[in-house]
Amino acid sequence: MHDELIAQAQAWLTEDPDPETRTELARLIDAQDHTELAARFSGTLQFGTAGLRGELGAGPMRMNSSVVIRAAAGLAAYLKKQGPSQREEGAGLVVIGYDARHKSHDFARDTAAVMTGAGLRAAVLPRPLPTPVLAFAIRHLGAVAGVEVTASHNPPRDNGYKVYLGDGSQIVPPADTEIAAEIAAVPSLATVRRPTEGWETLDDSVLDAYLARTDAVLSKGSPRTARTVYTAMHGVGKDVLLSAFARAGFPEPALVTEQAEPDPDFPTVAFPNPEEPGAMDLAFATARALTPAPDLIIANDPDADRCAVAVQNGQNGADWRMLRGDEVGALLAAHLVRRGATGTFAESIVSSSLLGRIAEKAGLPHVETLTGFKWIARAEGLRYGYEEALGYCVDPDGVRDKDGITAALLITELASQLKEEGRTLLDLLDDLAVEHGLHATDQLSVRVEDLSLISAAMRRLREQPPTELAGLPITRTDDLTQGTDTLPPTDGLRYTLDGARVIVRPSGTEPKLKCYLEVVIPVAAHAELPEARARATALLESIKRDLSTAAGI
């Protein structure tokens, strides 16, 4: 067994084009480190609807140039089998973007070389830029596909590979399995042509066009007075967001200087995700130090496709709190309705049902999709889409994906408008609760080292299903592996309770089991809100405890 493992590693080593991972792998082979080698050669990173994502390092279970070259070769083969683009004469164009993580530029260059060698045209964005700029560029340039090298808000040791097709949205089945089959069919790296030149490096005209498009997000003549604190979370959002804010005429955001510049080691945060505990602490400290206090805090994740918002939770400027993604999702929806937006409002099934209430009252179509913007972006007639994980699509004609830059513009416009009225985002949330009922959401998220714990929890819930949570009877259980009338199959469970809803699913991008909770409490008047919120908090905590016991987590 050990001999076979060493032979596998040596065969990989002979093909590896990256000196760093070659050295790393040679060291493991020389040390006969069978445990570590087994972890790296126990299979291959699976290409799915999230593309690829994993820890950097040598071997087929890690992100490295060998894995990326194979992925690019498979994607190129798939694209060539699709025939000529309807939007492009001659060879199809593939646009490639990348963030500022370790190896991102290398993987972008590897991809450009493979596409060029396969007879396609490749164009690389001029420098590390937000993922939504890449999503915009695909449609703007009439490309047949796009690749973004990013691991979004994953830990520093990770990187990833996200694939879009010519409509500017992320791949969905069956494209993912067809591309995966082409990747598996690559016999060896020696068969993949990789010229050292022949692709184009784009100039700033694509970025300029993206920024010009942001004009469409805001209302002409709307107030632009809200003052913001901004953190890029050590990612690539700062320059683009500052340009967009200056173009719109908003006050220049005060930067969280410790997190303003790209840094692939993310030194000030345990996880570079605004949702993680502690990630926003420096932003809160920056806001507290300003006089007068800013109106809101805005954070992007490292590739700037997500947008987090925090607001003062009192009058003295010292108490700040993050808004939940569902709260921002409802605020943006209410703002668009007030502006007279028409078209479909879409959300993932794990997001708050409040969006449906807002859309229904406005007489607008509303749809629920599976989790992820690869599904939300495909909603027919989409005008606005969001998911609770801080993702918002506010300009689907420009970017058919979540976009943390344009979402930041729109929420700042709303804050400005409310400021002119002597009101805040929290005041509007109160109004929505009275109008539609208090929709309180929370999440039970368990990160694991051993992925088998997630499948064990799902199996336990299926074999010994709970009949009630927090004393509320479960009136319906949907095993989403069967699909529904409106949803394709996915690994998940949905519980409908009397006045509550719970969805349990494995994360598609991280080693986590995620449970999404919502309780809805009718509210007749503003005076009832404190009691309703206290009741909702107690219910959510009780559901969490009971669900954790039922799942054995």
Side-chain angles (χ1 to χ4, degrees):
M1 182 69 176
H2 286 167
D3 289 346
E4 184 182 332
L5 186 60
I6 295 294
Q8 263 187 293
Q10 286 175 330
W12 185 273
L13 181 64
T14 62
E15 284 198 334
D16 191 339
D18 183 339
E20 282 187 40
T21 46
R22 283 176 58 82
T23 300
E24 177 188 328
L25 186 54
R27 189 167 59 244
L28 293 174
I29 294 171
D30 291 344
Q32 300 281 297
D33 190 340
H34 300 119
T35 302
E36 186 61 28
L37 287 170
R40 291 159 184 257
F41 287 85
S42 59
T44 59
L45 280 184
Q46 291 303 301
F47 187 92
T49 49
L52 294 168
R53 198 175 289 188
E55 187 176 341
L56 290 162
M61 287 294 288
R62 298 288 185 266
M63 282 295 296
N64 50 63
S65 284
S66 297
V67 165
V68 166
I69 288 166
R70 286 176 178 274
L75 174 60
Y78 168 84
L79 292 172
K80 293 183 80 172
K81 284 185 177 178
Q82 302 310 299
S85 166
Q86 300 302 306
R87 304 174 62 188
E88 189 71 35
E89 293 294 327
L93 172 67
V94 178
V95 189
I96 302 153
Y98 58 102
D99 66 11
R101 284 178 177 267
H102 293 296
K103 297 286 186 180
S104 286
H105 181 257
D106 295 345
F107 296 163
R109 190 185 59 234
D110 289 336
T111 301
V114 171
M115 296 301 162
T116 304
L120 296 160
R121 293 167 51 222
V124 183
L125 293 183
R127 59 185 170 281
L129 286 168
T131 293
V133 176
L134 181 275
F136 168 83
I138 295 165
R139 291 160 66 89
H140 178 68
L141 298 173
V144 296
V147 170
E148 176 72 16
V149 181
T150 182
S152 189
H153 55 267
N154 274 40
R157 64 179 181 271
D158 290 358
N159 214 326
Y161 198 80
K162 186 183 289 190
V163 176
Y164 298 75
L165 294 182
D167 62 355
S169 53
Q170 299 173 46
I171 55 169
V172 294
D176 57 340
T177 53
E178 292 171 7
I179 294 169
E182 296 290 352
I183 294 170
V186 176
S188 72
L189 294 194
T191 65
V192 181
R193 292 190 61 237
R194 304 195 305 279
T196 56
E197 57 185 14
W199 58 87
E200 178 185 0
T201 299
L202 296 167
D203 60 22
D204 275 355
S205 60
V206 168
L207 177 59
D208 293 342
Y210 168 84
L211 288 168
R213 176 74 205 180
T214 62
D215 294 347
V217 173
L218 304 175
S219 295
K220 284 186 169 40
S222 62
R224 312 280 167 94
T225 55
R227 297 172 61 254
T228 56
V229 164
Y230 173 70
T231 175
M233 206 65 68
H234 299 297
V236 299
K238 181 197 66 157
D239 291 346
V240 178
L241 182 130
L242 290 181
S243 295
F245 269 55
R247 183 183 182 93
F250 288 114
E252 183 177 356
L255 297 178
V256 179
T257 54
E258 302 94 329
Q259 298 174 335
E261 299 302 327
D263 187 332
D265 294 320
F266 306 106
T268 68
V269 289
F271 290 94
N273 177 356
E275 294 178 293
E276 292 284 348
M280 295 289 285
D281 286 356
L282 285 170
F284 294 156
T286 301
R288 290 187 191 107
L290 292 176
T291 305
D295 299 295
L296 69 166
I297 298 171
I298 289 172
N300 287 138
D301 66 338
D303 69 325
D305 62 351
R306 288 174 170 83
C307 176
V309 179
V311 295
Q312 288 187 64
N313 207 19
Q315 298 302 312
N316 60 8
D319 188 13
W320 286 81
R321 81 163 177 95
M322 272 269 291
L323 295 179
R324 302 192 69 83
D326 285 318
E327 292 176 311
V328 177
L331 288 167
L332 291 175
H335 184 44
L336 289 170
V337 166
R338 184 172 172 178
R339 281 177 25 177
T342 59
T344 300
F345 279 28
E347 63 180 323
S348 61
I349 57 171
V350 300
S351 302
S352 173
S353 59
L354 177 55
L355 183 69
R357 305 276 181 95
I358 292 171
E360 182 182 18
K361 178 141 190 190
L364 297 174
H366 168 255
V367 299
E368 287 186 324
T369 73
L370 292 185
T371 307
F373 263 84
K374 57 185 176 281
W375 300 108
I376 295 169
R378 285 178 162 75
E380 188 175 346
L382 181 67
R383 174 58 186 89
Y384 168 65
Y386 98 93
E387 62 181 0
E388 51 71 47
L390 310 182
Y392 315 95
C393 175
V394 302
D395 178 28
D397 290 340
V399 176
R400 201 159 285 264
D401 196 10
K402 56 186 177 290
D403 183 347
I405 305 296
T406 51
L409 287 171
L410 195 62
I411 198 71
T412 308
E413 178 186 65
L414 173 57
S416 299
Q417 190 170 42
L418 291 167
K419 185 178 182 179
E420 297 293 300
E421 300 167 4
R423 287 155 44 78
T424 68
L425 296 176
L426 293 180
D427 292 328
L428 181 52
L429 284 172
D430 285 351
D431 292 349
L432 292 172
V434 172
E435 185 175 3
H436 302 288
L438 176 66
H439 290 62
T441 59
D442 203 353
Q443 191 178 127
L444 173 63
S445 181
V446 182
R447 186 182 291 271
V448 299
E449 293 290 330
D450 181 358
L451 288 175
S452 69
L453 295 175
I454 294 177
S455 54
M458 295 298 291
R459 185 169 59 252
R460 177 170 173 162
L461 287 171
R462 287 188 170 105
E463 292 174 355
Q464 304 169 47
T467 57
E468 65 173 36
L469 295 168
L472 300 175
I474 294 174
T475 58
R476 175 172 173 169
T477 299
D478 296 308
D479 188 338
L480 299 176
T481 53
Q482 309 301 312
T484 71
D485 292 345
T486 56
L487 298 171
T490 189
D491 186 8
L493 292 163
R494 178 168 58 187
Y495 303 111
T496 303
L497 298 85
D498 185 12
R501 184 205 66 193
V502 173
I503 294 175
V504 184
R505 60 178 281 272
S507 169
T509 56
E510 298 176 272
K512 284 182 174 181
L513 182 69
K514 290 190 167 184
C515 311
Y516 304 84
L517 325 174
E518 179 177 44
V519 299
V520 182
I521 298 175
V523 182
H526 284 74
E528 297 179 12
L529 281 169
E531 182 183 346
R533 287 201 168 96
R535 184 174 161 220
T537 299
L539 269 175
L540 288 168
E541 287 303 315
S542 184
I543 291 172
K544 269 199 230 181
R545 284 194 301 271
D546 290 355
L547 186 61
S548 182
T549 300
I553 53 177

